[in-house]
C-alpha cells in the first residue's frame, strides 16, 4: 500500500498528506480473511515460480548433462538378431552369409544404409528395406526380381554360365530357386548387353519380349511352357521403332517367327495352326512364320507335305 | 492486450454502506461487476462515532462486493460527507506577464498556485480544489489563454474538512488492506451522475437527500459554483414521527416508508392507518393527516434552510435547469411538490443513467455510482500521463512492493 509521508498533522494542507496506514488492533475478520487469501496467493505464486525455475533448471541439466549419457547408453546396446523377410525365394541363411554383420555389434554402429546398398548389389534383389528395431534387432525386407528368361554366357573357353533375366532386363545370378521353377524358363539369345554405371548388366530392348511372354502366359499358358529359346537375332529397335522378328524355338516347333506388334492376333493364329497340326497327327513343325501379316507360312518336316502357304 | 483494472467505490452513509466494484476496460469503458451493502453502524450524520462498528460494516460490504465480482480491488474511491465539510470561494489574481499582454499557460499556472495558497485553520485539510472559472480584467471568460488583458484571476471553490474525521474514514478503508486512491465529496459524486452536461452548463442544483444529511452542489457554466451540507436527512423525518406519534423509531421508519407523504392532502382527512397492521396488542390507528403534517413540517424546514442558504443564486434565471432531487430520502411522496412550492423553481426527481443495471438505478445509489464514474475519468487521465507499467513493476505489484 502506498504510504504518503506526513510532514506534521497540523500543517497538512490536503487529505493526501494524511498517512494511510492500518492499525493492527482494529483489523476486522473480513480484513484478516482478505490478508490470508492475499498471502496464500503470493506464496502460491512464489512456489509456482520456484517450481517452474527448478523444473527448467533440472530439465536443462538432465538434457544437456545426463541426457547425453542416457541416449548413448540406450543406443549402445548390442545387436542380437537380424529378422529377414522376402517376397521371393531368398532366406535368412542367404542373408546371414551375404550381410556379414558381426554379432554383438552396437546397434548404432550398424550402418543400415551400407547394408541396403550391399543387398541391392545382389541383383536378384530389386529393393531392400533395412530398419533398426531397438533395443537389439535389425529388420530387413527385400523385394526380388522375377526371373522370366535365362541367358547363357561363356564363363571361360570350356564352360558356360547361366544367368537369369528379370522383367526390367537386369541380368542376375539366381539363388535358391527350385529347379522345376527355372527349368521352364526359356533362354534368350541374340541380345546385346549393356552395363550401367553401377555395374548392373542389362539386356537391351527387352520390353517387347516381356510383353509377348506375358500375353502368351495369360492366354495360352500351356503354349509358353513349351517355349525353349527366344532369339532376338533378327529383332531390331524398341518401342515404336521396333522391327524385324522375334523368333521362338519351342518343343514342337523349331522356329516360330513373331512380328514385334499385335501379339494377340498372332498367338491366336499359332494356336489354331498347332491344333490343326495335332488333329492331322503332326507332332513337330519346322517353322511357323506369323510375321507376314494376314499370311502365315507353315513349314513341315515330312517330304510328303511340302511347304504350304495357308491363309488363316 | 486490453488493460483491465478493478476499482472500488465505497460510500459510508448514515444508514448503509455501499461498495461497488468496477472493471475498467482499456481506459474507455466501465463494467460494474460487484455490489456489496451492509447496514451502517456507528455513523451519525455522515461522521464516524464508533470506529470498530463502522469498520465491520464497511469491510463486510467491500468483502461482499469483491466476492460478487470475483476479484480483489486494487484501490478505493471514497465518498465524504458530513457537517464538518465546508467550502469557500477564492481567487488567485496575477498580472499577465508577457509584454504584449497575451495570457499564457504560465500565467494560469501562477494564478492557480495563488488561488490554492489560502491557509486553513489548524485541524482542517483540503479535499477538493474545484476550478470555477476565469476573470480577465474583471470579466468572465471561458478560455483566457491567447486573450489580451492586464490581470487574470483564477476562481476556485475550495472544499475542506476536519482532518481527524477524514483520517478516520481513511483508516477504515486502510484496515481492509486497500489504499484510498481518491476522496470525493458526496454531493459532487451524485451531481456528476444525475445532472447532464447541458444542465450543468445552463445551471442546476442537485440535492442528495440522504439519511443523515442533505448534500447539495450548484452548477453553472459547466462548473461547480457551490457545495454544502444541510444537517437534515431521512432520519430526522423518522425521529419526528417517532416523537410526534409517540412510537418507536423502528415503527416510525416503517410508517414513513409505507405511508409517508411530505405534502398535506386534505382528501385523506379522516383516513387512518394501523401502526403495526396485524391487530396485535399495542396496535392502534394513526391518522394519515398526522403523518403528513409531521413530515411536511420537516420538509418545509429543509427547503427553507436551502432557500436561505442560496438566496439570490436560486432563481429560475440563475438556475434555469431547476433542482434535481436524488438520494434515498427523495423517494418520499410529495417531497418534490413541497420543494417546488418553497424554492419557487422547477424541481424534478433525478434518474441514474440507463446504462446502469436496473437494481442500481435507484436514487440512493447515485453517490456510489458517481464515485465509480469519477474513478474512470481519473484512470483515463492517469494513463495518459503515465504509460503502462513494465514487467518488473507488474511483478512487484503482485507482492505489494509498489
Amino acid at each position: 500500500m502506498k504510504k504518503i509521508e506526513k510532514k506534521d498533522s497540523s500543517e497538512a494542507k490536503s487529505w493526501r498528506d494524511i498517512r494511510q496506514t492500518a492499525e493492527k488492533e482494529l483489523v476486522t475478520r473480513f480484513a484478516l480473511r482478505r490478508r490470508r487469501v492475499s498471502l496464500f496467493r503470493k506464496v502460491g505464486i512464489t512456489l509456482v515460480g520456484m517450481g517452474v525455475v527448478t523444473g527448467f533448471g533440472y530439465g536443462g541439466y538432465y538434457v544437456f548433462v545426463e541426457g547425453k549419457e542416457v541416449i548413448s547408453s540406450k543406443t549402445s546396446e548390442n545387436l542380437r538378431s537380424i529378422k529377414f523377410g522376402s517376397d521371393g525365394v531368398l532366406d535368412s541363411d542367404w542373408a546371414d552369409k551375404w550381410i556379414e554383420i558381426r554379432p554383438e555389434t552396437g546397434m548404432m554402429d550398424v550402418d543400415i544404409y551400407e547394408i541396403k546398398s550391399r543387398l541391392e548389389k545382389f541383383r536378384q534383389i530389386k529393393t531392400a528395406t533395412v530398419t533398426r528395431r531397438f533395443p537389439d534387432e535389425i529388420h530387413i525386407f527385400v523385394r526380388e526380381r522375377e526371373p522370366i528368361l535365362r541367358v547363357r554366357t561363356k564363363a571361360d573357353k570350356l564352360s558356360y554360365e547361366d544367368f537369369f533375366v528379370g522383367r526390367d532386363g537386369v541380368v542376375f545370378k539366381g539363388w535358391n530357386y527350385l529347379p522345376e521353377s527355372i527349368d521352364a524358363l526359356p533362354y534368350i539369345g541374340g541380345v546385346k548387353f549393356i552395363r550401367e554405371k553401377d555395374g548392373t548388366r542389362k539386356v537391351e530392348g527387352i520390353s517387347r519380349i516381356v510383353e509377348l511372354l506375358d500375353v502368351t502366359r495369360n492366354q495360352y499358358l500351356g503354349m509358353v511352357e513349351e517355349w525353349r529359346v527366344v532369339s532376338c537375332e533378327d529383332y531390331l529397335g524398341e518401342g515404336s521403332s521396333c522391327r524385324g522378328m522375334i523368333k521362338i524355338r519351342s518343343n514342337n516347333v523349331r522356329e516360330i517367327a513373331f512380328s514385334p506388334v499385335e501379339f494377340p492376333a498372332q498367338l491366336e493364329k499359332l494356336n489354331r495352326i498347332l491344333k490343326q497340326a495335332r488333329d492331322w497327327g503332326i507332332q513337330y513343325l519346322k517353322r511357323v512364320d506369323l510375321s507376314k501379316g494376314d499370311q502365315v507360312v507353315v513349314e513341315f518336316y515330312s517330304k510328303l507335305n511340302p511347304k504350304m502357304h495357308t491363309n488363316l | 492486450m486490453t488493460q483491465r483494472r478493478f476499482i472500488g467505490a465505497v460510500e459510508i452513509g448514515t444508514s448503509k454502506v455501499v461498495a461497488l466494484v468496477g472493471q475498467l476496460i482499456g481506459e474507455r469503458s466501465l463494467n460494474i461487476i460487484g455490489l456489496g451493502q451492509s447496514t451502517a453502524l456507528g455513523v451519525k450524520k455522515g461522521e464516524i462515532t464508533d470506529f470498530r462498528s463502522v469498520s465491520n460494516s464497511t469491510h463486510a460490504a467491500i468483502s461482499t462486493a469483491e466476492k460478487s465480482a470475483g476479484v480483489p480491488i486494487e484501490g478505493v474511491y471514497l465518498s465524504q460527507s458530513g457537517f464538518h465539510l465546508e467550502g469557500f470561494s477564492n481567487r488567485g489574481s496575477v498580472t499577465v506577464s508577457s509584454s504584449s499582454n497575451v495570457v499564457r499557460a504560465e500565467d494560469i499556472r501562477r494564478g492557480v498556485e495563488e488561488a490554492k495558497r489560502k491557509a486553513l485553520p489548524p485541524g482542517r485539510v483540503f479535499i477538493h480544489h474545484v476550478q470555477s472559472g476565469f476573470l480577465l480584467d474583471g470579466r468572465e471568460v471561458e478560455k483566457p489563454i491567447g486573450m489580451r488583458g492586464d490581470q487574470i484571476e483564477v476562481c476556485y471553490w475550495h472544499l475542506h474538512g476536519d482532518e481527524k474525521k477524514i483520517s478516520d474514514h481513511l483508516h477504515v478503508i486502510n484496515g481492509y488492506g486497500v489504499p484510498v486512491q481518491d476522496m470525493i465529496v458526496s454531493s459532487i459524486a451524485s451531481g456528476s451522475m444525475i445532472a447532464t452536461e447541458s444542465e450543468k452548463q445552463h445551471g442546476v442544483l442537485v440535492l442528495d437527500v440522504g439519511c443523515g444529511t442533505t448534500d447539495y452542489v450548484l452548477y453553472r457554466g459547466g462548473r461547480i459554483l457551490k457545495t454544502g451540507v444541510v444537517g437534515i436527512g431521512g432520519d430526522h423525518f423518522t425521529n419526528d414521527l417517532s416523537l410526534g406519534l409517540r412510537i418507536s423509531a423502528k415503527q416510525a421508519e416503517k410508517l414513513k416508508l409505507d405511508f409517508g407523504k411530505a405534502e398535506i392532502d386534505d382528501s385523506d382527512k379522516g383516513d387512518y392507518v394501523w401502526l403495526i397492521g396485524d391487530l396485535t396488542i399495542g396496535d392502534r390507528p394513526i391518522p394519515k393527516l398526522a403523518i403528513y403534517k409531521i413530515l411536511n413540517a420537516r420538509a418545509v424546514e429543509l427547503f427553507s434552510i436551502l432557500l436561505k442558504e442560496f438566496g439570490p443564486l436560486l432563481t429560475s434565471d440563475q438556475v434555469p435547469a431547476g433542482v434535481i432531487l436524488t438520494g434515498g430520502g427523495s423517494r418520499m411522496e410529495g417531497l418534490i411538490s413541497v420543494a417546488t412550492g418553497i424554492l419557487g423553481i422547477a424541481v424534478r426527481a433525478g434518474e441514474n443513467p440507463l446504462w446502469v443495471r436496473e437494481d442500481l438505478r435507484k436514487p440512493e445509489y447515485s453517490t456510489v455510482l458517481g464515485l465509480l464514474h469519477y474513478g474512470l475519468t481519473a484512470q483515463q487521465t492517469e494513463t495518459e500521463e503515465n504509460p503502462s507499467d513494465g514487467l518488473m513493476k507488474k511483478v512487484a505489484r503482485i507482492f505489494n512492493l509498489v
Side-chain angles (χ1 to χ4, degrees):
Chain A
M1 193 158 49
K2 221 178 193 174
K3 291 192 175 101
I4 303 166
E5 284 304 319
K6 192 174 67 167
K7 294 162 205 165
D8 182 353
S9 61
S10 62
E11 291 176 1
K13 285 189 182 172
S14 164
W15 71 271
R16 292 187 188 277
D17 294 326
I18 301 172
R19 194 159 166 250
Q20 293 195 46
T21 179
E23 301 297 334
K24 284 184 186 167
E25 59 271 19
L26 292 171
V27 168
T28 64
R29 59 187 171 91
F30 302 100
L32 277 172
R33 189 167 60 212
R34 190 180 197 267
R35 283 182 197 181
R36 265 185 238 124
V37 168
S38 175
L39 181 66
F40 283 140
R41 191 169 61 234
K42 285 175 196 169
V43 168
I45 290 170
T46 308
L47 287 175
V48 167
M50 283 169 61
V52 168
V53 168
T54 307
F56 272 118
Y58 183 69
Y61 174 76
Y62 183 82
V63 169
F64 291 108
V65 178
E66 286 193 20
K68 276 185 187 169
E69 292 171 10
V70 171
I71 292 166
S72 58
S73 69
K74 278 268 182 242
T75 55
S76 65
E77 280 217 30
N78 291 339
L79 174 65
R80 288 240 189 89
S81 70
I82 300 172
K83 293 254 163 64
F84 180 86
S86 168
D87 66 346
V89 298
L90 294 172
D91 56 18
S92 50
D93 289 336
W94 172 87
D96 289 340
K97 286 183 196 144
W98 187 258
I99 296 170
E100 288 179 342
I101 299 178
R102 285 193 313 278
E104 305 303 314
T105 307
M107 281 292 286
M108 291 312 289
D109 295 330
V110 175
D111 188 345
I112 57 173
Y113 300 103
E114 197 271 330
I115 293 172
K116 175 181 160 70
S117 173
R118 207 185 321 154
L119 284 166
E120 288 173 357
K121 274 191 180 127
F122 188 68
R123 305 300 172 199
Q124 185 170 341
I125 293 173
K126 199 171 180 182
T127 58
T129 309
V130 184
T131 52
R132 288 190 191 87
R133 292 291 167 94
F134 290 105
D136 53 13
E137 287 184 347
I138 298 283
H139 284 206
I140 300 174
F141 183 78
V142 300
R143 291 195 187 281
E144 293 183 35
R145 282 192 171 86
E146 181 198 353
I148 56 165
L149 294 159
R150 286 182 285 178
V151 66
R152 179 165 284 183
T153 62
K154 246 186 177 171
D156 53 41
K157 280 185 183 173
L158 300 172
S159 62
Y160 293 89
E161 200 172 0
D162 282 353
F163 290 88
F164 295 97
V165 180
R167 303 174 72 80
D168 53 359
V170 169
V171 177
F172 59 92
K173 194 83 181 146
W175 174 271
N176 225 20
Y177 289 119
L178 293 171
E180 52 268 28
S181 68
I182 58 174
D183 282 347
L185 294 176
Y187 281 91
I188 188 166
V191 292
K192 250 193 199 170
F193 293 100
I194 55 170
R195 197 172 278 278
E196 303 213 304
K197 280 180 192 169
D198 59 355
T200 307
R201 209 156 52 133
K202 276 179 91 166
V203 171
E204 199 179 34
I206 199 173
S207 60
R208 287 282 172 190
I209 313 297
V210 173
E211 188 186 334
L212 172 60
L213 293 171
D214 284 342
V215 173
T216 314
R217 195 169 285 121
N218 285 338
Q219 295 176 10
Y220 306 101
L221 181 59
M223 186 194 295
V224 78
E225 284 173 348
E226 300 289 322
W227 291 1
R228 297 269 69 82
V229 179
V230 176
S231 171
C232 299
E233 281 167 358
D234 295 323
Y235 172 60
L236 293 165
E238 187 68 343
S240 55
S241 63
C242 60
R243 58 191 188 279
M245 57 182 88
I246 300 168
K247 292 178 183 172
I248 306 286
R249 175 181 287 185
S250 73
N251 288 336
N252 44 20
V253 182
R254 188 162 171 236
E255 185 180 282
I256 308 168
F258 286 94
S259 155
V261 294
E262 301 286 339
F263 293 130
Q266 296 175 77
L267 287 168
E268 199 201 333
K269 289 173 191 172
L270 175 63
N271 188 47
R272 269 197 270 156
I273 289 168
L274 293 175
K275 192 169 177 296
Q276 187 69 69
R278 278 198 300 275
D279 289 344
W280 287 342
I282 301 170
Q283 202 176 352
Y284 298 104
L285 292 171
K286 191 174 182 185
R287 190 169 184 265
V288 176
D289 188 348
L290 302 159
S291 66
K292 301 208 185 303
D294 286 338
Q295 294 234 344
V296 179
V297 178
V298 181
E299 284 189 40
F300 297 90
Y301 280 107
S302 168
K303 287 180 183 175
L304 297 173
N305 296 302
K307 193 155 69 169
M308 282 167 60
H309 290 267
T310 177
N311 288 328
L312 290 172
Chain B
M1 199 162 68
T2 310
Q3 210 177 5
R4 292 171 189 253
R5 288 189 66 182
F6 302 100
I7 58 170
V10 177
E11 180 196 2
I12 303 174
T14 304
S15 65
K16 66 180 187 318
V17 178
V18 182
L20 286 183
V21 179
Q23 180 187 26
L24 289 168
I25 301 170
E27 307 106 37
R28 286 270 169 244
S29 60
L30 177 70
N31 278 345
I32 298 169
I33 59 172
L35 165 68
Q37 291 185 94
S38 66
T39 307
L41 298 168
V43 181
K44 263 202 171 75
K45 294 191 180 182
E47 296 174 8
I48 294 172
T49 55
D50 181 347
F51 189 86
R52 189 175 285 281
S53 301
V54 173
S55 292
N56 275 322
S57 309
T58 307
H59 296 179
I62 300 175
S63 176
T64 307
E66 281 185 325
K67 265 195 204 126
S68 68
V71 289
I73 53 176
E74 298 165 20
V76 162
Y77 288 81
L78 180 64
S79 73
Q80 191 62 223
S81 183
F83 232 8
H84 66 100
L85 295 175
E86 289 174 18
F88 65 91
S89 176
N90 192 38
R91 291 178 193 172
S93 180
V94 294
T95 311
V96 175
S97 58
S98 83
S99 53
S100 54
N101 281 11
V102 172
V103 177
R104 293 188 296 197
E106 174 61 25
D107 299 320
I108 304 296
R109 192 189 60 76
R110 285 188 299 117
V112 168
E113 264 179 33
E114 187 63 33
K116 287 182 181 177
R117 200 166 287 159
K118 179 86 175 174
L120 289 174
R124 307 284 299 179
V125 291
F126 282 114
I127 299 173
H128 289 304
H129 299 285
V130 183
Q131 200 179 78
S132 53
F134 300 96
L135 292 171
L136 182 61
D137 293 340
R139 56 187 169 93
E140 266 187 49
V141 292
E142 274 280 325
K143 292 175 186 176
I145 293 178
M147 296 173 90
R148 284 182 195 276
D150 294 316
Q151 200 81 9
I152 180 75
E153 289 172 282
V154 185
C155 307
Y156 266 90
W157 176 259
H158 304 280
L159 276 155
H160 58 98
D162 185 85
E163 183 187 347
K164 190 154 184 336
K165 288 176 175 140
I166 291 171
S167 174
D168 286 343
H169 275 85
L170 291 176
H171 291 150
V172 165
I173 303 297
N174 295 162
Y176 190 70
V178 288
V180 173
Q181 285 183 283
D182 211 344
M183 191 176 286
I184 301 104
V185 167
S186 296
S187 55
I188 294 177
S190 306
S192 71
M193 279 311 282
I194 293 297
T196 64
E197 288 306 314
S198 168
E199 285 169 335
K200 289 177 191 172
Q201 193 67 35
H202 287 103
V204 67
L205 173 66
V206 176
L207 296 176
D208 184 346
V209 185
C211 197
T213 58
T214 294
D215 303 316
Y216 61 81
V217 56
L218 177 66
Y219 292 95
R220 198 166 61 226
R223 300 179 198 274
I224 296 170
L225 282 189
K226 192 177 163 75
T227 61
V229 180
V230 175
I232 296 175
D235 267 356
H236 294 87
F237 289 86
T238 306
N239 281 342
D240 290 348
L241 279 177
S242 174
L243 289 169
L245 301 174
R246 289 191 293 276
I247 56 178
S248 70
K250 197 175 170 186
Q251 289 169 330
E253 182 70 20
K254 189 174 179 303
L255 269 184
K256 183 187 81 174
L257 291 172
D258 292 344
F259 305 106
K261 196 164 36 170
E263 200 178 13
I264 297 171
D265 191 348
D266 283 334
S267 65
D268 290 323
K269 198 174 181 180
D271 278 355
Y272 291 83
V273 295
W274 287 95
L275 177 63
I276 301 167
D278 57 2
L279 301 176
T280 54
I281 293 171
D283 199 0
R284 57 185 169 95
I286 306 282
K288 273 189 182 177
L289 212 53
I291 298 171
Y292 301 161
K293 278 183 179 172
I294 292 169
L295 295 176
N296 176 259
R298 185 60 83 171
V300 166
E301 185 196 5
L302 169 62
F303 294 113
S304 300
I305 292 172
L306 283 166
L307 185 65
K308 197 175 170 185
E309 182 93 9
F310 284 99
L313 284 175
L314 202 57
T315 62
S316 50
D317 290 332
Q318 297 288 329
V319 193
V323 176
I324 306 174
L325 288 186
T326 187
S330 69
R331 292 205 282 169
M332 189 185 297
E333 199 181 330
L335 198 67
I336 290 177
S337 40
V338 171
T340 308
I342 303 285
L343 300 174
I345 53 176
V347 179
R348 68 171 177 88
E351 287 169 0
N352 285 323
L354 290 173
W355 55 261
V356 172
R357 64 191 217 208
E358 212 171 320
D359 58 336
L360 291 175
R361 276 193 222 147
K362 295 176 192 167
E364 51 260 46
Y365 294 117
S366 54
T367 302
V368 73
L369 286 169
L371 289 172
L372 263 191
H373 183 254
Y374 191 92
L376 169 67
T377 318
Q379 293 294 324
Q380 283 175 336
T381 311
E382 189 188 313
T383 306
E384 281 160 14
E385 289 172 2
N386 303 306
S388 59
D389 294 335
L391 176 64
M392 289 311 296
K393 241 189 171 172
K394 283 176 181 162
V395 170
R397 197 181 290 132
I398 293 172
F399 296 97
N400 282 348
L401 297 175
V402 174

